[in-house]
Amino acid sequence: MSVALGLVGAAPAAASTAAPAAMSQPDKQFTVEVPAGRADTVTGGDALVQVVVPRTVPVHQVRITVDGRDVRSAFEPVGDGRTLLGLVDGLALGENHLEVRANGEGRGRPQAELTLVNHPAHGPVFSGPHIRLYCTASGSPWNLGPVDEHCHVEEPRVTYRYRTTTNSWANWPDDGSTPDDLATTTTSTGETVPYVVRRERGTINRAVYETMILHEPGTPLPDPWTTTPGWNGRLVYTFGGACGIGHTQATSTGGVENDLLLRQGYAVASATFNVFANNCNDVTSAETAMMVKEHFTETYGPPVFTMGSGGSAGTMQQLLIANAYPGILDGVIGEIGYPDERSTTVSGHECRFLTQAASAAGLSSAQQTAVSGFAAAFTCFGYQFFDSVDWPASCPGHIPPADRYHPTGNPDGIRCAIADFVSNVYGVDPDTGFGRPIVPDTVGVQYGLRTLDDGTITPEQFVALNEAIGGLDVEGNRTPHRTSADEEAVRIAYETGRVNQFDGGLAWTPIVETRGYTDLAGDFHDRFRSWTMRERLLEANGHADNHVSVTAASGQRANEAREAALASMDAWLTARTALAAERPDLDGITLTRQSRPDGLADHCVASDGTRIDEELTLDPDAACNQLFPFHANPRVVAGGPTTSAVLKCELQALDRSAYAVEFTDEQWSRLQAVFPDGVCDWSRPGVGQVPLTDTWLRF
């Protein structure tokens, strides 16, 4: 990565430095860590620290300091009494050196050190400099009070909600009385408690966050040292869909008032930056999730594990975060999802190009659908919701017109394009001052190639279609000529994980991904995206043992699959956590593989409830594919790989003998004019298609 981007690799994950070397046995040294987090990413001036005391040291002889300041009184024993948990506050911005020692005489007394790197509660931690933001925390629906220059409120607000005996939500009475219609719930651990939830809303990393957990008013407040009745020890972090260039603190999260989760005892958390409609930036989404999880842990204690949950672009975020910033989420529960934003948005642009070029080529509706690769014509229409994120002048309504970019009227205004919104990642084009353009690259792409080969379209239609494709410039304007993406931006997209090649944390993070089948109805949450996930996993890691894909008939069967995915992931992570404690020598891939529950496998579910266990495959004769056929997308029909991971192709010379059809000399001359530098060589990796540089990158 170029130095100009200011991107650096990750520091080592939270771990202690123990001394002396002679006392390296687990029972003779301290273990010091930030549970459910990293020591180099703590925020807000405090950190929950866990110290495991070796059996050779009496607990009362443990001394803990931060930069020489005694903080031992912040620690209390938990579990077996030899684990100390403490909320260390008063941290300075930057490095703070925590030291654990055993008092007493003699050489070689155990000791350990941990550097806590503290960042502001408003961030950033690793996402880079802040962009302009319009605050919402003081208004509806949050009403959290006045905000400061960072859109932060002074204190979080706590309210209570309860579930009624008629299965609806209601506010807890202001007078504190217990409602007559209060329901009870029996959690996944078998505990029956009043179905009352504590909702906390506040601001972290300039986003509004909210958490919910079972807790009855009037009982002791939760803290990291006290078991909260009803909480099953697990955290579910939710993510929302769509994709928008927000510049807003926004008015929605991924949703925490979720009966399916809360009634079973799960705690639920989310924030406004975890909804891609508000903030189509997976780096700030990751950072926000990390910080909210840290706050949750400091309030309630470390969760046993954290599961992500969310559909569509909510799945997209989970996959991007789990790959680039592993450990924030221990497992991914996805639904009707996509692997990443950039390779998905390509389909949106290409659908728009094809729609406009089809009439010039004289394509029928059926031919146009065939060229798109999708099952129905309306699918391509749906994908065009994606491409507006590359139009810099297309800003959401909350950005005042006077603040918006215009090439002549306001050249210094806010540009509402991904390249600018995520310019901390992509960098800035020195010639324009704009974010490096990652506009769709159409150079060399032979749209409709497979339909030409199979006779769906004629040679003349193929030539005319490709003549009319055009491209998109950095201002978001259609161009009659084909356009090329900035090669530096393309390379950055791959090496930072914005194009998700599943080559980081997704080598071992468990994924249970479900999809209600709606291809034939023209839904753009098409089943093919499940295959792109699988193939990328196989290409990157040589296995997909951490991925379970379920396709179900839409409606009731899809709803059942969603609930089953939660139970399956819980069972998987419960087993994985236990195995990790028993076998700390095992690597992440082995832990995931060996803890996968028996019977948890790829399958499909027919409308009558029949389950077919069958490994995910593109074979059209497979039983699940007979029920729920795969289709494709425009780039695959153009000959591209089914990973759909190539943003810009390498070129090869145009070869007349390579086609299964005959062109007239006039048609061939026109085709040469369309592709003067050659056509895509899909047998080679794409331009700039390099592996992920590292996980936990900082910008």
Side-chain angles (χ1 to χ4, degrees):
M1 176 58 60
S2 63
V3 176
L5 278 182
L7 181 146
V8 296
S16 59
T17 303
M23 287 196 171
S24 59
Q25 297 92 340
D27 62 341
K28 293 185 178 181
Q29 70 174 10
F30 290 104
T31 300
V32 188
E33 64 179 0
V34 175
R38 294 168 57 98
D40 59 349
T41 60
V42 302
T43 64
D46 55 20
L48 190 69
V49 177
Q50 178 176 286
V51 178
V52 180
V53 182
R55 288 187 289 273
T56 56
V57 176
V59 172
H60 71 272
Q61 290 189 358
V62 176
R63 182 171 184 264
I64 307 173
T65 60
V66 173
D67 293 329
R69 172 171 58 96
D70 190 342
V71 296
R72 177 62 178 82
S73 62
F75 287 78
E76 297 180 24
V78 295
D80 62 2
R82 302 202 64 79
T83 298
L84 300 176
L85 193 64
L87 185 61
V88 179
D89 58 13
L91 299 179
L93 290 177
E95 293 188 351
N96 299 260
H97 302 284
L98 183 143
E99 186 175 31
V100 182
R101 290 179 177 272
N103 291 329
E105 301 296 329
R107 298 180 59 188
R109 299 290 288 170
Q111 67 181 63
E113 297 177 353
L114 184 66
T115 299
L116 303 170
V117 185
N118 177 45
H119 305 79
H122 57 261
V125 179
F126 53 75
S127 66
H130 285 153
I131 61 173
R132 187 169 178 177
L133 192 73
Y134 295 88
C135 307
T136 62
S138 59
S140 180
W142 310 122
N143 303 312
L144 298 179
V147 297
D148 62 16
E149 68 273 21
H150 304 295
C151 293
H152 271 220
V153 299
E154 187 173 355
E155 295 288 342
R157 182 180 179 216
V158 175
T159 57
Y160 282 84
R161 299 270 284 168
Y162 74 97
R163 193 74 170 173
T164 72
T165 51
T166 57
N167 293 321
S168 61
W169 291 104
N171 292 323
W172 190 257
D174 292 337
D175 62 7
S177 61
T178 300
D180 293 335
D181 61 346
L182 171 63
T184 59
T185 186
T186 301
T187 70
S188 62
T189 59
E191 187 176 11
T192 300
V193 296
Y195 197 168
V196 190
V197 289
R198 181 182 193 266
R199 180 175 67 189
E200 179 180 306
R201 287 173 166 173
T203 46
I204 287 176
N205 202 30
R206 304 199 305 162
V208 174
Y209 75 89
E210 52 182 353
T211 63
M212 269 192 167
I213 190 171
L214 285 170
H215 179 253
E216 187 177 4
T219 62
L221 290 175
D223 64 42
W225 304 273
T226 306
T227 301
T228 302
W231 182 32
N232 66 9
R234 289 113 165 96
L235 174 63
V236 177
Y237 204 102
T238 65
F239 298 85
C243 182
I245 310 300
H247 288 274
T248 176
Q249 198 172 25
T251 57
S252 64
T253 70
V256 297
E257 196 171 77
N258 185 309
D259 176 56
L260 173 64
L261 300 174
L262 292 168
R263 72 171 184 251
Q264 298 184 69
Y266 294 99
V268 192
S270 191
T272 53
F273 285 1
N274 302 121
V275 178
F276 252 21
N278 306 332
N279 171 59
C280 201
N281 181 340
D282 63 280
V283 179
T284 51
S285 178
E287 182 178 69
T288 302
M290 177 198 73
M291 294 171 72
V292 172
K293 180 180 174 181
E294 177 194 17
H295 173 71
F296 176 91
T297 301
E298 293 169 355
T299 304
Y300 300 103
V304 177
F305 50 75
T306 302
M307 301 184 285
S309 177
S312 189
T315 301
M316 182 190 292
Q317 288 177 79
Q318 293 182 69
L319 293 171
L320 286 162
I321 291 168
N323 197 58
Y325 296 95
I328 296 175
L329 302 175
D330 298 303
V332 171
I333 304 175
E335 184 177 6
I336 60 171
Y338 310 90
D340 59 58
E341 180 272 326
R342 274 295 86 186
S343 65
T344 304
T345 298
V346 165
S347 289
H349 285 295
E350 293 184 328
C351 276
R352 194 173 298 277
F353 297 157
L354 288 172
T355 298
Q356 297 174 355
S359 60
L363 300 188
S364 67
S365 177
Q367 287 175 317
Q368 185 176 336
T369 300
V371 166
S372 76
F374 299 119
F378 197 75
T379 308
C380 228
F381 175 80
Y383 265 103
Q384 292 176 55
F385 291 130
F386 286 90
D387 63 348
S388 62
V389 297
D390 289 320
W391 303 346
S394 179
C395 291
H398 61 262
I399 299 179
D403 293 347
R404 302 178 193 177
Y405 167 81
H406 187 277
T408 57
N410 190 14
D412 296 324
I414 295 172
R415 285 173 55 89
C416 295
I418 281 284
D420 301 275
F421 193 60
V422 195
S423 61
N424 285 347
V425 174
Y426 292 118
V428 174
D429 185 332
D431 295 331
T432 64
F434 304 150
R436 280 201 180 94
I438 191 152
V439 295
D441 191 295
T442 54
V443 174
V445 182
Q446 301 183 79
Y447 292 100
L449 178 62
R450 290 186 176 179
T451 59
L452 172 69
D453 291 341
D454 66 19
T456 301
I457 64 174
T458 67
E460 174 58 32
Q461 287 175 318
F462 174 75
V463 174
L465 177 71
N466 281 281
E467 285 178 322
I469 287 293
L472 192 81
D473 67 17
V474 296
E475 300 291 358
N477 300 315
R478 287 274 285 120
T479 64
H481 59 275
R482 297 197 176 208
T483 49
S484 177
D486 182 292
E487 291 190 16
E488 178 74 358
V490 170
R491 179 179 61 81
I492 291 168
Y494 289 110
E495 67 183 10
T496 66
R498 309 287 71 75
V499 174
N500 193 353
Q501 299 187 94
F502 291 62
D503 52 353
L506 287 177
W508 65 83
T509 303
I511 307 164
V512 178
E513 171 250 331
T514 68
R515 193 172 300 271
Y517 188 75
T518 53
D519 284 29
L520 303 182
D523 186 358
F524 55 91
H525 298 95
D526 48 314
R527 188 177 180 228
F528 184 71
R529 298 293 171 173
S530 293
W531 175 256
T532 63
M533 298 176 197
R534 173 59 55 86
E535 190 170 6
R536 293 187 195 188
L537 276 167
L538 292 170
E539 284 203 355
N541 309 304
H543 74 90
D545 296 338
N546 57 319
H547 179 214
V548 175
S549 184
V550 180
T551 303
S554 62
Q556 177 185 351
R557 302 308 173 196
N559 293 336
E560 292 168 349
R562 180 188 308 116
E563 294 196 23
L566 173 66
S568 297
M569 182 58 73
D570 189 303
W572 199 346
L573 292 178
T574 297
R576 192 182 191 279
T577 302
L579 183 60
E582 179 185 337
R583 293 288 308 279
D585 58 306
L586 296 180
D587 61 70
I589 294 173
T590 305
L591 282 171
T592 298
R593 182 180 291 129
Q594 292 190 5
S595 61
R596 179 166 162 170
D598 292 340
L600 182 54
D602 295 342
H603 65 274
C604 63
V605 183
S607 57
D608 64 0
T610 301
R611 170 172 167 157
I612 301 172
D613 284 1
E614 181 178 76
E615 186 173 359
L616 194 67
T617 175
L618 285 181
D619 180 359
D621 294 327
C624 286
N625 293 345
Q626 288 288 304
L627 282 174
F628 307 115
F630 278 115
H631 296 89
N633 61 44
R635 190 149 291 210
V636 171
V637 179
T642 50
T643 59
S644 297
V646 175
L647 297 184
K648 180 178 177 63
C649 67
E650 295 282 3
L651 299 177
Q652 61 184 345
L654 195 62
D655 180 1
R656 196 166 184 172
S657 65
Y659 295 88
V661 299
E662 293 290 335
F663 293 101
T664 67
D665 290 343
E666 186 265 345
Q667 289 168 344
W668 185 250
S669 177
R670 289 159 56 200
L671 207 58
Q672 288 176 311
V674 173
F675 301 113
D677 300 315
V679 294
C680 288
D681 181 357
W682 299 112
S683 68
R684 301 159 63 191
V687 174
Q689 189 175 3
V690 296
L692 180 69
T693 298
D694 201 353
T695 58
W696 287 91
L697 296 176
R698 299 167 182 263
F699 300 94

